[in-house]
Structures are given as C-alpha cells and as structure tokens.
C-alpha cells in the first residue's frame, strides 16, 4: 500500500459536494456498468446478513478481469442497480456501511487527476449535485490545497499522467487558457475563439517552451489592444454548417444509446433526462417526420442533417433573450463552465489529444448545450436552474465513457476541415 502523502488541489465545488441520496433527481445507480473490486466481493459474500448474501449471489456476475474488476452488478430490466430499495437507497450501504461498497460506488463522482507532482481533485458533471455546485456557486473554482495519502484518494485510482510522464508544455498552455477565461472584458465566445486560435498556432511549438511563452505574450498584447476581438468580429456566420454539426451529433447522441435496445419512451424518461431535454428542441423544430428511433412504441425524434437550417436558426435567435436573461442573473455560469472544463479535462492530453483537438471538442460541446438550452427556453418561455442542471448532467452522463461519440465528433470535424481548417471557429458566431 502506497503511504506517500501528496498535495491535492481541491476546488470549492468538490469540497462542498454532498450526496443527497434518495432526493437525487437522477441517481447514479442506473444504466452504467458497475465493476466490483475483489475485496468488496469477498467481504459481501461472507457478510452476516442473509439478504445481502442472497443479493450478491443473485446479482453479482464474476468477471475475474482484475483485482479492481473482479465482478459486475447485473442491472434490472429498467436499468436500475439491483441493490437499490424502493426509495433508491443502496441496501449494501444501509446494512454494511460505506466501506463495503464497491470502490466505484464509494468514489463516484470524484475524479482525481495527476498534474505534475500533485493531484487535482475534480468531479464528474454527470452528477446533478456537481452541476449545481459548478455552475451556480460564484466561488466554485476557488482552490485550496491539502495533503492526503495517495492510497486514500479514490483508493489510489488517480487519472492523468504520472508525475514524471506529463508533457512539459501542459502547464504553460493551460495557464494561458485560464488567463483568457478569467478576462472579464471578453464574452464567452470571444474567450473560446482566442483560446482556440492560440492552441492552433501553438501546435507547431509544443516542444519549444520559449516559443510557446513568446506566443502567449503576443496574444496577451493582441487581447489588450483589441486586435483579437476585431478578428473575432470578422468571422463569418455559417448557419448551415452549424446545423449540420448539431444535427449529426444529435443523431448519434440519441441512437448510440438506443439503437440496439427496445425501450418504451415512458421508461426512457424515467432514467434519461437527456431525452426529455432533447425533445424540447425537437418539439420546437416540429420534426415529427424525422427518424423514428422507437419503431411502433411511443417514439421520440432526432435531428435530420438533411433538412434545411432555417427553423433551427430561428430557434437560436428567438431564444437568445431567455438565455441572456438567465446568464445575466447568474453571470458565473459560463465562466465556471469554461474554467471547470480547462481544469477537469487537462486539455485531453491524457487521452492522446493535442490541445487544439481539445478546443474542437469543447466547441462542439458548447454548440450542443446552447442548442438544447435554446429549445428548452423556447418551450418553457425562459430558463430555470432546474432545467439547466437537468441538461448539463444528462448530456455529460451520455458523453461519459462513450468513445464512439468522441470518434464521431472527430469524424465530423475532419470532414468540415476539408472545406476550411478554420471552419470550426465559425460555430462560435451567431
């Protein structure tokens, strides 16, 4: 067991987190594979309560893949974990205490990552309570430092690069992105544009820290004299391209989950808030003749990339007043989301991506979220905290662990860049 103490950077949104248990609007014990570590499996098999032993025998499937994935929980027909009682509370937690829970259940939604010789504690936006903390607390990204034993931090399951493995450019490049995100003069879209342009130009100098630093200084000068905001204003608006990106990704966000399943719409709504949010936009688009993903059952619709963009563009324009009103009431939402993304994702370098690739994924996320928020706002005649939280947690729940969606985004981007390598930037313009 590793007894090393390490420095752990912890944002306020993480230190403030408290699981609300049965009050959670979208409990995490549904639809995901839950691996069970060998230690928990053995202990539960021998536990004194007969109900627990019977539950384990009936619902734990041995895999023996590794010490951390020794078994898996078989989910019920509606996707719920078999350990849940009628109030969506865990029977293992109630009868055995938290220490006998599988490590996955103990640790979620916490997500520590190495960053140099220290760890950065983060949390997954697939949890609604995390979304509330990140988006609606003005101090969410205030960071404190504590010392903790390495093996106690998510049972030693720390993501990212090991202390000696990370790329040398990461700190410098991310710090520049943070400085742009914290600039109070720039709009959210201008910040994304400047970050993206810097990451694109830095691609050629990732092994030259001096040149990267010079490039950052040059960008700061162009921010201060207004050069970069003028460049942003000259970007073309390409509504047809924006629609194509959105519609293609919407199709895959929906069908990746359900194309091989037979699930009624009533059951889907029970555990998939994303479909409820997505259908708000579809209802505004009047796409009742689009692809029917549920056959003869109560169906829901997806966007059709072959359609014209005009109705979609009209929705984005008509809903702008509602989005602006909500963001003016909660001005920290967009900056917190950007800061969280830069902090949590670490520019996706641990996934083998270059920083400029990360910007492209972040831009697509921003496009998708704004589109769905527009549909919700138009249907509801305004935005509320409840709907914003529902969209964010369900969207990132859909995205989490889904390599197919990442690959699809990458395919869409490469296809668009055949027309222009700067086309991705036009998605930032209304």
């Amino acid at each position: 067991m590793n007894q090393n103490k390490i420095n752990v950077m912890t944002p306020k949104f993480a230190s403030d987190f408290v699981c609300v248990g049965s009050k959670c609007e979208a409990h995490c014990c549904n639809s995901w594979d839950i691996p069970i570590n060998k230690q928990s499996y053995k202990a539960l098999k021998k536990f004194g309560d007969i109900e627990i032993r019977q539950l384990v025998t009936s619902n734990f499937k041995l895999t023996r893949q590794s010490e951390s994935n020794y078994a898996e929980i078989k989910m019920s027909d509606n996707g719920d974990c078999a350990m849940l009682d009628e109030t969506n509370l865990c029977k293992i937690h109630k009868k055995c205490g938290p220490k006998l829970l599988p490590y996955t259940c103990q640790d979620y939604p916490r997500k520590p990552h190495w960053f140099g010789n220290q760890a950065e504690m983060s949390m997954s936006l697939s949890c609604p309570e995390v979304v509330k903390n990140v988006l609606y607390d003005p101090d969410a990204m205030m960071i404190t430092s504590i010392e903790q034993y390495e093996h106690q931090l998510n049972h030693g399951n720390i993501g990212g690069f090991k202390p000696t493995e990370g790329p040398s450019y990461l700190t410098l490049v991310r710090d520049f992105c943070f400085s742009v995100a914290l600039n109070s003069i720039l709009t959210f879209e201008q910040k994304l544009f400047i970050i993206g342009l810097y990451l694109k130009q830095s691609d050629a100098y990732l092994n030259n820290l001096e040149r990267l630093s010079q490039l950052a200084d040059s960008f700061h000068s162009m921010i201060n004299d207004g050069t970069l905001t003028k460049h942003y204003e000259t970007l073309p608006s390409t509504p047809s391209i924006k629609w194509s990106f959105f519609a293609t990704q919407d199709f895959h966000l929906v069908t990746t989950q359900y194309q091989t399943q037979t699930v009624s719409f009533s059951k889907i709504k029970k555990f998939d808030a994303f479909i409820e949010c997505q259908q708000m936009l579809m209802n505004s688009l009047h796409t009742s003749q689009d692809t029917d993903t549920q056959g003869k059952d109560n169906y829901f619709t997806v966007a059709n990339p072959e359609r014209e963009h005009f109705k979609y563009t009209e929705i984005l324009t008509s809903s702008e007043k509602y989005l602006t009103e909500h963001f003016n009431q909660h001005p920290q939402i967009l900056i917190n989301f950007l800061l969280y993304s830069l902090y949590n994702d670490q520019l996706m370098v641990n996934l083998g991506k270059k920083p400029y690739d990360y910007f492209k994924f972040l831009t697509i996320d921003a496009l998708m979220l704004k589109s769905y928020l527009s549909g919700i706002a138009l249907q509801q005649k305004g935005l509320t905290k409840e709907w914003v939280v529902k969209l964010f947690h369900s969207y990132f729940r859909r995205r989490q662990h889904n390599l197919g969606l990442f690959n699809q985004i990458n395919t869409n981007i490469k296809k668009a860049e055949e027309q222009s390598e700067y086309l991705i930037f036009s998605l930032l313009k209304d």
Side-chain angles (χ1 to χ4, degrees):
M1 182 180 294
N2 195 326
Q3 294 292 333
N4 293 331
K5 271 196 169 184
I6 58 175
N7 200 37
V8 183
M9 310 302 290
T10 305
K12 187 172 182 289
F13 74 80
S15 58
D16 283 356
F17 173 78
V18 177
C19 177
V20 296
S22 61
K23 296 180 181 178
C24 184
E25 59 195 77
H27 64 84
C28 53
C29 311
N30 180 286
S31 72
W32 283 343
D33 294 331
I34 302 176
I36 304 160
N37 53 292
K38 185 176 181 179
Q39 180 180 339
S40 294
Y41 178 83
K42 295 287 188 182
L44 290 170
K45 284 283 285 185
K46 298 176 182 178
F47 194 71
D49 188 287
I50 189 170
E51 182 186 8
I52 294 297
R53 296 202 306 272
Q54 289 175 340
L55 282 170
V56 170
T57 300
S58 301
N59 299 289
F60 283 19
K61 178 183 178 181
L62 278 172
T63 61
R64 294 190 176 92
Q65 292 183 22
S66 65
E67 291 284 321
S68 60
N69 190 343
Y70 193 75
E72 290 180 353
I73 297 178
K74 294 186 288 187
M75 298 304 212
S76 64
D77 290 341
N78 69 358
D80 279 342
C81 174
M83 301 299 117
L84 294 180
D85 65 13
E86 63 280 357
T87 63
N88 284 336
L89 290 177
C90 176
K91 295 176 182 178
I92 293 177
H93 191 285
K94 286 169 67 175
K95 293 196 173 189
C96 310
K99 291 187 178 180
L100 285 192
L101 287 171
Y103 289 165
T104 299
C105 304
Q106 290 187 48
D107 297 337
Y108 178 84
R110 298 165 188 84
K111 291 173 52 183
H113 295 97
W114 285 110
F115 195 82
N117 292 317
Q118 64 189 20
E120 295 182 338
M121 176 56 75
S122 190
M123 306 193 93
S124 172
L125 285 184
S126 57
C127 170
E129 292 305 308
V130 174
V131 174
K132 291 174 187 176
N133 287 353
V134 169
L135 297 187
Y136 286 94
D137 180 357
D139 298 323
M141 294 303 301
M142 298 295 291
I143 295 177
T144 56
S145 175
I146 62 172
E147 281 196 337
Q148 193 169 347
Y149 285 109
E150 183 178 331
H151 73 273
Q152 293 177 332
L153 197 63
N154 272 38
H155 299 89
N157 183 23
I158 305 175
F161 287 104
K162 299 283 186 184
T164 58
E165 297 175 353
S168 58
Y169 65 77
L170 182 56
T171 298
L172 192 158
V173 171
R174 194 175 68 156
D175 282 351
F176 170 81
C177 295
F178 276 138
S179 70
V180 175
L182 289 166
N183 188 311
S184 60
I185 306 300
L186 301 171
T187 67
F188 177 73
E189 290 78 13
Q190 288 170 341
K191 292 174 182 179
L192 280 182
F193 168 72
I194 293 170
I195 287 172
L197 197 60
Y198 173 79
L199 295 181
K200 179 172 176 55
Q201 293 189 17
S202 70
D203 238 7
Y205 309 110
L206 294 179
N207 294 320
N208 187 336
L209 296 186
E210 182 179 358
R211 185 67 185 91
L212 281 178
S213 182
Q214 292 171 353
L215 186 63
D217 290 341
S218 174
F219 266 68
H220 281 304
S221 296
M222 289 190 288
I223 291 172
N224 292 333
D225 67 18
T227 299
L228 289 176
T229 53
K230 289 178 183 177
H231 282 332
Y232 171 77
E233 294 306 321
T234 64
L235 281 176
S237 177
T238 55
S240 60
I241 299 297
K242 185 178 291 188
W243 165 248
S244 178
F245 264 103
F246 167 77
T248 302
Q249 191 62 13
D250 176 77
F251 179 87
H252 288 283
L253 278 165
V254 174
T255 58
T256 297
Q257 184 81 5
Y258 296 116
Q259 62 184 349
T260 60
Q261 299 183 36
T262 303
V263 187
S264 71
F265 186 45
S266 59
K267 287 185 177 179
I268 286 170
K269 290 183 69 174
K270 175 183 183 297
F271 63 83
D272 196 342
F274 172 74
I275 294 298
E276 191 174 356
C277 295
Q278 186 257 2
Q279 286 299 285
M280 287 283 184
L281 179 55
M282 295 303 107
N283 290 339
S284 295
L285 284 169
H286 301 297
T287 55
S288 60
Q289 300 305 312
D290 281 355
T291 302
D292 179 352
T293 60
Q294 290 300 300
K296 298 179 181 179
D297 201 356
N298 297 319
Y299 63 85
F300 56 90
T301 56
V302 296
N304 183 349
E306 301 302 318
R307 287 197 167 204
E308 294 289 347
H309 69 85
F310 301 110
K311 186 62 178 179
Y312 169 76
T313 303
E314 179 187 322
I315 290 169
L316 296 185
T317 302
S318 301
S319 62
E320 188 64 35
K321 59 181 179 181
Y322 298 125
L323 271 62
T324 300
E325 179 182 359
H326 191 76
F327 293 149
N328 285 342
Q329 290 174 352
H330 307 280
Q332 78 285 343
I333 288 178
L334 294 178
I335 185 173
N336 280 9
F337 173 64
L338 182 53
L339 289 170
Y340 166 88
S341 299
L342 293 168
Y343 172 83
N344 178 78
D345 299 339
Q346 296 186 354
L347 306 184
M348 292 172 64
V349 295
N350 62 314
L351 299 179
K353 303 294 182 183
K354 288 187 175 181
Y356 181 51
D357 294 324
Y358 166 71
F359 161 73
K360 299 173 189 178
F361 284 96
L362 180 60
T363 299
I364 298 297
D365 276 342
L367 171 67
M368 301 305 294
L369 290 165
K370 182 176 181 180
S371 299
Y372 293 129
L373 285 175
S374 297
I376 292 168
L378 211 56
Q379 290 284 308
Q380 300 289 323
K381 305 300 181 187
L383 276 182
T384 63
K385 178 180 178 179
E386 290 70 27
W387 275 104
V388 173
V389 170
K390 181 179 289 190
L391 171 64
F392 270 73
H393 88 72
S394 64
Y395 176 82
F396 284 101
R397 182 185 180 100
R398 183 61 57 90
R399 281 256 278 93
Q400 190 169 334
H401 307 311
N402 198 324
L403 183 61
L405 288 175
F406 276 107
N407 291 339
Q408 185 58 49
I409 293 174
N410 209 32
T411 299
N412 295 344
I413 291 169
K414 287 183 177 179
K415 183 177 179 180
E417 288 180 333
E418 291 175 0
Q419 302 178 52
S420 168
E421 61 179 328
Y422 287 93
L423 196 60
I424 190 73
F425 289 94
S426 70
L427 300 181
L428 301 173
K429 287 295 290 287
D430 293 327

